[in-house]
Amino acid sequence: MRLHLYRMVLILILILGMGAGKAAAQENTLFIIPDASGLIQSVKEKGRSSETGALILRSQKQLTVEKNGTIELKSYVCGMIFDDRAASDYSQISLYYNGYFEEIELDFARSIQGNGERLDASRDAIQTRSVSQMGQAKMYTDMKSLAFSIPALGQGAGFEFMVTRKIRPIVGQSWARTLDFNFVLYHSGPVPRVDPVREARLTVIAPTEEKLKYYQRNSSVPPEIKRVKEGLVYTWEMEDIPKLVYEINMPVDDTLLPGVELSSIGDWRDIDQWAHALFSPSIDSSGPILKTALEITKGITDRKGKIKAVFEYIQKNIEYIAADLDRGGYAPHPASQILKNKYGDCKDQTVLFVSMLGALGIEAYPAILNTYPRMEHRLDIPSPYFNHAISYIPNVDGDLWLDTVATIQFPGLLWNSQGRSAFVINGRGGGFKKTPSSGAESNEGEVNFYIKVSGETLSMELDLLAKGAMGDTFKNSLKALEQNQRKAMAQDLLKKMYPSCEIEKVTFSDFSDPNASFKISVRCRIPYAIPSNSRMLNLPFSSMASITFYSTLAGLTPPVDRKADYVMGFVYDIKSQWTYDMTESGFASINLPEAEVMDSEFLRFERQFKEEGRTLRATSKLTLKTTKIPLAKYADFYESTLEILQKSQKTLSFQKREMDHTALALETSLKDKPDDVSSLVALAKQYLKNGKYGEANVLLTKALVLNPDHGESHYFLGIALGHDYKMEEAQKEFETASRLGFIP
Amino acid sequence: MKNFTMILRAALMVTVIGAVGCRSMQTPAVKSYLDKSKATDVYACLAISKDYLSKVFMDPMDKLNNLETAIDAAEKARTLQPDLPEASYYLGYGMSLKGVVFRDEAKISLGMTYYKNAITKKPAMAGPGYLPPLPFMIAVIKMNSKLNRITDDHAIQLLEEAIKNSPEFAPAHFELSKIYRRQKKYELALQQARVAAELAPNEGVIQKELGLLYGNYIEDRNELVFEAAAKKGIEALKAAVKLNPKDPEIHEALGFYYGVLGMFELKAFEMDTAIGIKPTGSNSFELGNTYLAMGHIDKARTAYLQAVKTDPALTKAKGLSGYCDYLENRFDKACSEFGRYAEDQSLKELNRKLWYYYALWGNGKKPNGDEILSRFSNAFTGNDWERALLDFHLSRIDETQLLSKAKTRFEQCEALYYIGCRYRHEGDKNRAESYFRKALDTRIYSFYEYAGARILLKSLSQGSANQKDEKFLPGKS
């Protein structure tokens, strides 16, 4: 009996023990859903701790790696709403995913009202949408969004939702993923919303044999690692994560958010192998590809000329259409199909380009990269996530990097692909190479403003010119506009400066032509601008107009409000040339401002004024020297920018002068007889009367070279010297004049 | 008034061309804009308001209509965007100006409140690119009003308020300087004019005013600073002459300063230029002074005669021709010339009487001279120094006493010259020469006494070399 009892106890212990072991294992691997009501209640008890409109109380993600490389990712978010704006923003949540590789399921979504009542998302307010159907772009992709609405979300209400994704591996049976601690809400506003998080937890459960690489971004707390039956459990936790403030020209938001970049991919050779396997079957240098390549390069003997011909052929004939449905977005179409269809996306156009160059015996490779402002890859975390493909051609005047998709001139890269790390796919392990960057002088924006005063009318000719990255940016952004929209934009630009001006003509260069420079020309006039009896005319010189048009420098946030580094896409020059033509008016400039140069670590500004007859030319040049201003130096940058902006505007004064006919006649006479002493002296006397003492001195000195015994010249040279208080020299001249018999 | 208009227009033109770009709003483009503004374009309303406010000054004949339109447009802008400081700015501006026109102080005050609130919110509106500061406009309009003229103190208060908000607005400093000058507060006037000139280096009118202001140090005979003042005056006027080369007053003033510094050739040139532009009695007289200082007596006499001919009322030119005669030892002629003005009550200068006295002495009629001085002394109202000079000639004090009373270089120049003249007429050539030299050492180039000492010294030196001149020494005649 005692034995029986003992056995009973033993069995019970065993059973309980087994149960306890199972519970312990589940604690480590089960995704435990927090008690949302409790979280919300704790906020009510502690009082509102967030100054933002919403607070994420708990963000929790758990990634579980399965044997075949498939991963399951569960995400749970619980938050609380404090204002109407947040209520509106969070009332619909959209989660993006690649439908080819991923499946997504909404486990639940609900609001938790102040009285504790839970209202679940309605089935008819949950939808899967195709991204390509949402816009007008010529795009057929697997990118989708799961959208759902949280009901009755208002101030004081909480919400929670959970989704589960199943993600197939992209590269063999390996996977790569980045997990953020924050919840990034994509809503209808211009930038996402990233509210503060009170508690966040990221968990990765991976088989023990998985060679997991990870990099903690903006988080220094190491993971807690536990061994469980399923493998290793990595847990990262963070508390009180601040909100992310979106600012103009901030760094990529991914680089600012705390998170963990994960990868099980061996190294970058695996990426090369994977990408090469996708690209190489599509590259074909025979048949119609060869025929076309030979046709379009007929008569061209040099290598670079042939490359240019192929580049321009694709740029002109292959339309950008991303037809990638049910393909996952990584595999290009066969070159022959692209040539036949006359369309393709970036990887398709790259395949065709590489194929055609191959047909001509020119070595070329596809290269993949993330364009600015997407985040660059870390070398220690291999990943297949790139967003653009271009072509790399080695050993042609150095290396050539070409992108047939953009409306740019050969040979060139659009600014957002410049200076980036591109992964060259060659099937031999591949490798990163830095794409070239252009200097400030190559990326130039210019405003030429010609102002002519005739009677009471101001006639103006405004030319906006841009080249390099600056021109590409404007061409690519404006080419989508209709002619009348462009015209309205140009008119608006001038009307802002001169509301009363009458626009006569607006012309544009062809923004779709890669070889045409960016140019907008506006001709206009302001009648009755200058009262006929006006003696003074003040006209502005403003580099500000060009700086405002071509850059964001005029709208910098004060340093006290700036939170992040200030980042720009490319370095540039902005030039202004304002010409004031007074030849048909009685006005002449008075007291020209001095030339000025300002040079700082980040910017250089120079300004000068030059007068040629009755035409005054004011020019300025602003050079942005670097694309990144660290936050620590932002105040200096701000101050130097403000100083430049202040100096970028100057009022130029013109005075209506009665024509000095005597001086004009003498000047004309001197042109015919430059060595006539009496004319030189007569003009010098006139200059002395007009206060032009220096000019008079020059003429009289010349007269005395021609005739050293000319008493009158000595006398008036004495007058000119006297005006400069050179009294001893002046006295000598007076005495010489007297000795020579000159009596004034 | 002329200066004011010019400055004001200059200030307005910055605004008009700089930001709005049009003087008149009567063009079709503007009308269309005005119509548009009836819809929702708040910036068009502001542009119109600003333009019409500018037009108030450009086209004063229609100022009421222009003001009404400006106020309407600003009110429209305020309705569209109530918190926009620009809307309050133009509304306040228009209301205040309307208040000035109707002499409605309550409206002026209300408008000023709108204006002040607006520039507090957006201080840039008190700076360039906008209308002239409102307190300045009110001050200048009222200062130039016949019916509604304000006191200097009130104008100063308004102008100081304008300067407080818009320290870089040159016309406010300029107007303030003019008031101080009128009040003879020259230091304050100069201080404001200097700021104005620095802010508006291209304004010939301001540079000229600054240049002329330095003249007060010379008029006041401040021996410590008068040469420096002349140099500063010249610098300002050199800037002014480049801007307005045909302004005779600038050339005349330049000449005056050059004369103070003894730069007579330059003074002659400037006076000649001034006469070439606009001949006046005054500038012919100054040219005469220049020639006299240079020792060109014939030319000086011609210029003096021309001055009186051009302007018979030019008192200061009277008797100068006689002084020329005296310096040439033509005592008869000099007596005759001085005699012409002997009974002229407008001629109260002591030096004229002394010249007449010495001319009579030279002509052998010293008792007549004594009598003239005695009579002059009875009705004399001059200052202590002039009294001392007169007493010396009436033998009430001796030369030592006279010299002890001469405290400044100006007074020393006069004392030394007239002591020299006395020795000259007493026939003591050596002492006369000695005193004339000492008079020249004072370097008061602009004084007739300095010119006289120079000429007589030369005459005495030549007399030593040439015996025929001995007869002109009064003691031997």
Side-chain angles (χ1 to χ4, degrees), chain A residues 522-544:
Chain A
V522 186
R523 302 288 176 266
C524 66
R525 61 198 282 274
I526 308 177
Y528 315 117
I530 305 149
S532 56
N533 59 351
S534 174
R535 287 187 65 242
M536 286 290 295
L537 174 62
N538 290 305
L539 292 172
F541 166 62
S542 172
S543 315
M544 178 83 96

Side-chain angles (χ1 to χ4, degrees), chain A residues 95 115 169 252 265 313 316 367 400 530 535-536 570 605 658:
Chain A
L95 304 170
N115 57 6
V252 183
I265 299 168
Y313 171 83
K316 190 176 174 187
L400 271 183
I530 305 149
R535 287 187 65 242
M536 286 290 295
F570 50 87
F605 179 73
E658 286 174 33

Side-chain angles (χ1 to χ4, degrees), chain A residues 18-74:
Chain A
M18 282 171 68
K22 191 175 179 185
Q26 278 181 341
E27 252 179 47
N28 287 316
T29 58
L30 279 182
F31 191 79
I32 299 166
I33 300 165
D35 171 18
S37 298
L39 290 171
I40 291 164
Q41 189 58 36
S42 72
V43 174
K44 286 180 180 169
E45 284 167 6
K46 288 181 188 170
R48 180 177 167 177
S49 61
S50 169
E51 291 306 313
T52 57
L55 174 65
I56 302 300
L57 302 171
R58 177 70 66 90
S59 169
Q60 196 171 304
K61 288 173 187 163
Q62 180 169 299
L63 186 150
T64 307
V65 184
E66 296 174 1
K67 293 283 183 192
N68 59 358
T70 298
I71 54 177
E72 181 194 72
L73 176 61
K74 284 185 175 294

Side-chain angles (χ1 to χ4, degrees), chain A residues 268 271-273 275-276 364-369 386 390-394 399 401 421-435:
Chain A
W268 286 100
I271 296 293
D272 178 58
Q273 198 179 353
H276 190 255
Y365 302 95
I368 45 180
L369 73 162
F386 294 88
I390 56 177
S391 303
Y392 167 66
I393 303 145
D399 293 344
W401 296 86
S421 291
F423 187 79
V424 178
I425 304 162
N426 58 15
R428 301 189 296 273
F432 279 103
K433 278 182 176 288
K434 201 85 169 168
T435 60

